[in-house]
Amino acid sequence: MPTLFEPPLLTRLKAADRILIAGAGGGFDIYAGLPIALALRAAGKEVHLANLSFSHLYGLDAEVWLEPEVARITPDTRSAERYFPERTLARWLRLHRMPETVWAFASVGVRPLRKAYRALTSHLGIDAILLVDGGTDILMRGDEAGLGTPEEDMASLAAVAGLPGIPERLVACLGFGVDAYHGVSHTLVLENLAALDRAGGYLGAFSLPRDSREGRLYLDAVEHARDAFPEHPSIVHGSVAAALEGRFGDVRFTDRTRNSELFVNPLMTLYFTVTVEALAARNLYLRRIEETHLMRQVSSAIEEFRDSLPGRRPPRMFPH
């Protein structure tokens, strides 16, 4: 039973024994789950990290593969890829003497991705999955004017929604407002959260405190990743980190945002949390991507659905 003193998401996760925290949308998404992972490990839970990878995985050594679409990444994993967030996170974990494996899912369609999730959760004995999204576009149901970058998020959501044998399947989003950079209306995000609340699937919001151990280590991890990829730092986590440091407005931390105006603000440090079941049930096109094998098929299915709509929910301004 959740109480005022503990967010419902953490109440549910603390009841589990072995938890998989997985980045849903690729890139640096798994960093959004790092503070929660640290808190759960401090509470005595066995926590494993995974991420849908944007890196080219198929050139990795044969021994890293658990199944064809999921690989065990460590600080010493050999790869010609310079952009490799999973390995960068593994190296940061080693620096802090923490468990240093980060599992990487290949960027594939729903059927092979679900098979990979099933193999990994069975291998690790997982009884709870937390999908994490840097930003909030995973909360889009499909008929909004802008969806952000939905393909990877939706493939991950559909894959995990098809694993009813896992007792707890949850979603947490960090970085409210960041997806305006990709055309998301955050008034519609709030409207979707209200609908999820009416359906019983909204688990509330809570903030990441800067002065907590988790907040300090998150900032350190983001800075470590920025040093690893100075030419391609994460806009999402650069924004969240800036907000966590108390910065506000059009904060400049990378030339990648030089042609846009950012609105860094304290809401970016909030986690918004929902259940996988409720989020999947409200999505308007998730069944259309069920049989996909390739990520481009996911993209095509979303485009076809969008083209079939008689209209789209227009973006709305915040009234205050």
Side-chain angles (χ1 to χ4, degrees), residues 23-158:
F28 289 95
D29 263 13
I30 184 54
Y31 281 71
L34 186 58
I36 298 175
L38 294 171
L40 289 169
R41 283 176 175 169
K45 299 299 174 182
E46 181 181 322
V47 181
H48 300 272
L49 302 176
N51 199 44
L52 191 148
S53 184
F54 285 165
S55 301
H56 184 72
L57 300 178
Y58 297 112
L60 299 179
D61 293 337
E63 61 267 19
V64 307
W65 294 96
L66 175 67
E67 288 287 338
E69 311 298 350
V70 58
R72 180 174 186 162
I73 308 303
T74 71
D76 303 317
T77 297
R78 296 186 300 175
S79 172
E81 291 279 302
R82 172 165 168 73
Y83 180 81
F84 203 167
E86 295 81 19
R87 186 176 61 186
T88 299
L89 178 55
R91 289 175 174 174
W92 180 86
L93 291 166
R94 174 178 282 179
L95 285 174
H96 290 269
R97 298 182 180 180
M98 299 179 191
E100 59 191 39
T101 292
V102 180
W103 296 90
F105 293 112
S107 184
V108 291
V110 172
R111 286 182 65 86
L113 186 57
R114 182 178 295 151
K115 183 179 180 182
Y117 262 100
R118 187 175 288 116
L120 182 58
T121 54
S122 175
H123 175 70
L124 299 174
I126 296 299
D127 55 2
I129 298 175
L130 175 65
L131 289 176
V132 289
D133 182 25
T136 53
D137 54 356
I138 197 172
L139 301 176
M140 299 288 97
R141 71 176 194 173
D143 62 350
E144 298 85 357
L147 298 187
T149 53
E151 291 84 358
E152 290 81 12
D153 286 326
M154 292 303 111
S156 297
L157 177 63

